[in-house]
Amino acid sequence: METDEPCEVDILSHRARTVTVGGHHFALVSVADLTPGSRTAYEVRLDGDLAWPLAESPYPASVIRTPLPEQKLRFAFGSCRHATPMAFGEQSPHDPDALDTYARDLAAGTKTWPDVLMLLGDQVYADETSPDTKAFIATRRDIERPPYGEVADFEEYTRLYLESWGDPDVRWLLSTVPSMMIFDDHDVRDDWNTSESWRRKMAATDWWHGRITGGLASYFLYQHLGNLSPAQLAAEPTWAEAQKISADGADAWDLLEGFAERADAEADGGPGYQWSYRRDFGRTRVLVIDTRCGRVLTDGHRSMVSPPEWAWIKEQLAGDYDHLLIGSSLPWLMPQAIHDIEATNEAMVAGVWGPSWAARGEKLRQLADMEHWAAMRESFEAFLDLVRAVGRGDYGPPPATICVLSGDVHHAYVAEADIAGVSSKVYQLTCSPVHNDVPGFMRVGFTAGWSRWAARLTRLFTLGARILRPRLTWHKLAGPYFGNMLAVLEIDRRASRITLNKSYAGTRAALKPAAAVPLSWHNNLPPAKPRRARR
């Protein structure tokens, strides 16, 4: 949490002192010794004074839920939440915020409680600020000069988080539902780390250093620390050093700035930082992969994650579990036609059609956001190898499902992959946006991208670029759905299903199912024989 001055924070008799960074004060309290399967209401006290819940709060008490390993699990997830509706007032350009609506439904008791809320990128929009944030920025600097009304430094990022998570519904939701998060490009800037050319262009500005250090330092504090277990927190060197600095009465900003510089340098072959993480919930393993900051983009080589991080990811796959959920802000499996276009663009930029086409391809890459897994073919194939190895039992008994949970693309869909030799069912589950929209022409493109005629057309592009066909096929089971969405993945032993929920305006905003898709069924039989890939 963030407090307005240095203090001691007390939750259920577990205490922590605040850490000062950039003039702001943060506390992280680890609460231990809770009973499995319990619901524990709590209060927050600052130097002994009650600070939470707020007086006359309309919400139920904030509680900590500790699930039992064998109980059913429910994961709510989505991505892309533009500024809270409160920041726009009655002039909000979007449909009802799915996260606000979900929070109100939970408070009213009309929705079943999730065990985890996963936010898969673009939790804040540093490059598309609200009128309220622009007004605040204008009190600090001239917004007629770059970066104009975009966020420029750590102080402006803290305002962005206050605006987004100070929303009363979301503030209460995050106080009572466990959360997991990972960034995407708009948490820093559109097309963040798209290519080496993009990085050079940003580095040449006089404002980028403040933007990237402020973005990564604020992400570390507001989002990433909450992803870590108590044991991982105890071993986290930057947080431990920040605590020491604050204990001596100093501000830890210089430490966090240096940390952010090193983390950003990974794309240039520098030391970097591992933002990816793993959490286990009973017999469900969740592996969240950083697909933005950990990219390698030097010397014409493009990889979604660095070699050390690939090695770490492989280590996390070993074990005996019923379901593997892989969080990736960017979808692994896109509509086939869009996949082919992005793959062709990568070959074009690499020079398959000569230097002049390479230059055009780079402009197109940045203009059309062609930087998903499909646009990094080596990484796409390496990811496929990981999925195949897990699904055929190389790392342990094959799980019932391998699901890639993603956002980014401002629509929702469910797709199933057909991979030869794999016993597990493999799915791409995409849900986005939570609070944003998508232009009409893009809706047409995403819808047409799943059609056979579009795939046949774009296949000609890949043939011309001398690109081999992927070693798998995939087909859509549901979608695409447009509008503000939040998905819920339910797991009961080896059975699972996903529900895509859409927010609707009305006298009272409502979150209603757009589709429910069964993914696997519970049984006590041995794993099914491997299925052949469809031709």
Side-chain angles (χ1 to χ4, degrees):
M1 67 195 64
E2 183 177 357
T3 64
D4 57 0
E5 61 183 50
C7 62
E8 181 182 70
V9 181
D10 182 315
I11 298 176
L12 297 174
S13 298
H14 293 74
R15 299 176 179 87
R17 293 292 306 178
T18 54
V19 172
T20 301
V21 180
H24 293 258
H25 314 288
F26 304 92
L28 198 158
V29 182
S30 292
V31 179
D33 304 321
L34 295 168
T35 303
S38 65
R39 296 174 70 255
T40 307
Y42 70 91
E43 297 175 336
V44 179
R45 295 186 177 274
L46 308 181
D47 286 340
D49 296 329
L50 181 65
W52 183 269
L54 301 177
E56 301 179 357
S57 169
Y59 303 98
S62 298
V63 301
I64 303 172
R65 292 174 177 80
T66 54
L68 292 168
E70 66 273 14
Q71 79 178 42
K72 298 178 182 179
L73 290 171
R74 187 172 283 103
F75 295 85
F77 71 94
S79 79
C80 306
R81 184 172 181 264
H82 198 207
T84 172
M86 294 180 62
F88 293 101
E90 297 181 356
Q91 306 301 316
S92 177
H94 311 307
D95 289 338
D97 185 329
L99 204 57
D100 272 356
T101 305
Y102 191 55
R104 289 193 289 269
D105 286 347
L106 291 174
T110 60
K111 286 283 191 296
T112 304
W113 280 87
D115 296 288
V116 183
L117 172 65
M118 299 179 66
L119 298 178
L120 293 167
D122 297 344
Q123 277 68 260
V124 293
Y125 277 69
D127 52 353
E128 298 178 19
T129 56
S130 71
D132 281 1
T133 297
K134 285 185 174 67
F136 168 74
I137 292 173
T139 66
R140 305 184 69 240
R141 57 180 174 82
D142 182 4
I143 62 172
E144 298 300 319
R145 300 185 58 187
Y148 308 107
E150 299 181 17
V151 168
D153 57 22
F154 179 76
E155 179 64 26
E156 293 174 12
Y157 263 105
T158 65
R159 178 74 178 201
L160 204 61
Y161 280 103
L162 175 63
E163 175 183 78
S164 185
W165 293 349
D167 175 329
D169 292 321
V170 172
R171 186 184 190 190
W172 170 77
L173 182 68
L174 293 178
S175 79
T176 198
V177 175
S179 59
M180 304 169 64
M181 305 184 189
I182 193 68
F183 43 44
D184 198 24
D185 55 344
H186 290 282
D187 289 89
V188 175
R189 197 169 200 263
D190 187 27
D191 297 340
W192 176 30
N193 281 352
T194 288
S195 64
E196 188 176 18
S197 171
W198 185 93
R199 285 183 61 82
R200 287 197 302 267
K201 182 173 67 175
M202 290 297 104
T205 69
D206 60 3
W207 54 267
W208 178 248
H209 179 267
R211 172 70 152 271
I212 190 62
T213 54
L216 292 178
S218 61
Y219 172 79
F220 177 81
L221 294 165
Y222 286 93
Q223 300 193 51
H224 182 65
L225 288 177
N227 296 327
L228 306 180
S229 69
Q232 291 168 326
L233 284 168
E236 214 300 313
T238 301
W239 181 244
E241 183 63 25
Q243 289 175 302
K244 292 179 183 178
I245 291 172
S246 287
D248 293 336
D251 191 300
W253 168 246
D254 288 346
L255 171 73
L256 267 292
E257 183 182 40
F259 160 80
E261 290 172 343
R262 293 189 297 276
D264 176 56
E266 186 167 7
D268 300 323
Y273 179 81
Q274 183 181 294
W275 300 106
S276 301
Y277 59 95
R278 180 191 124 193
R279 297 268 294 275
D280 286 345
F281 298 85
R283 291 187 56 79
T284 298
R285 176 157 298 179
V286 183
L287 179 61
V288 181
I289 299 176
D290 160 26
T291 59
R292 281 293 175 185
C293 193
R295 297 181 177 188
V296 176
L297 302 168
T298 57
D299 302 323
H301 177 73
R302 291 161 49 80
S303 176
M304 195 66 84
V305 298
S306 66
E309 196 138 342
W310 273 122
W312 178 86
I313 289 170
K314 291 178 181 178
E315 291 174 0
Q316 309 315 304
L317 301 175
D320 182 3
Y321 41 85
D322 289 335
H323 302 273
L324 174 62
L325 310 183
I326 303 176
S328 165
S329 64
L330 302 174
W332 177 49
L333 301 177
M334 300 276 283
Q336 182 66 61
I338 294 176
H339 175 98
D340 289 345
I341 291 171
E342 292 203 16
T344 301
N345 176 262
E346 180 186 35
M348 183 190 309
V349 176
V352 69
W353 295 332
S356 62
W357 280 101
R360 295 188 187 102
E362 179 61 37
K363 291 180 180 178
L364 182 61
R365 169 190 283 169
Q366 297 184 30
L367 179 66
D369 294 347
M370 295 187 186
E371 31 83 55
H372 298 87
W373 288 91
M376 296 190 178
R377 184 172 180 81
E378 287 186 11
S379 296
F380 179 92
E381 295 290 339
F383 193 99
L384 170 60
D385 289 338
L386 293 181
V387 170
R388 176 181 282 114
V390 172
R392 69 188 178 195
D394 291 2
Y395 289 94
T401 66
I402 302 170
C403 297
V404 182
L405 280 58
S406 305
D408 179 67
V409 291
H410 290 206
H411 66 288
Y413 62 91
V414 177
E416 182 177 7
D418 299 295
I419 306 173
V422 168
S423 298
S424 306
K425 287 181 169 292
V426 180
Y427 297 100
Q428 171 68 61
L429 310 178
T430 302
C431 184
S432 167
V434 168
H435 186 228
N436 212 314
D437 54 29
V438 60
F441 74 91
M442 292 182 67
R443 295 188 182 206
V444 173
F446 285 131
T447 302
W450 288 107
S451 68
R452 291 184 178 180
W453 65 263
R456 289 177 182 141
L457 176 62
T458 56
R459 178 59 187 152
L460 298 177
F461 298 164
T462 61
L463 289 172
R466 299 192 290 276
I467 299 172
L468 297 176
R469 298 189 69 171
R471 295 174 293 140
L472 80 164
T473 61
W474 60 96
H475 58 281
K476 175 174 61 68
L477 298 180
Y481 298 101
F482 301 97
N484 289 333
M485 310 284 298
L486 193 71
V488 177
L489 175 63
E490 299 171 272
I491 293 174
D492 181 5
R493 293 173 291 183
R494 289 180 71 85
S496 62
R497 73 169 184 171
I498 184 171
T499 303
L500 301 175
N501 301 284
K502 181 178 178 181
S503 67
Y504 292 88
T507 305
R508 179 185 177 279
L511 202 62
K512 300 179 181 179
V517 182
L519 304 177
S520 62
W521 295 264
H522 171 69
N523 61 65
N524 295 315
L525 300 176
K529 293 181 179 180
R531 295 171 292 121
R532 291 186 177 275
R534 295 182 182 179
R535 296 291 181 182

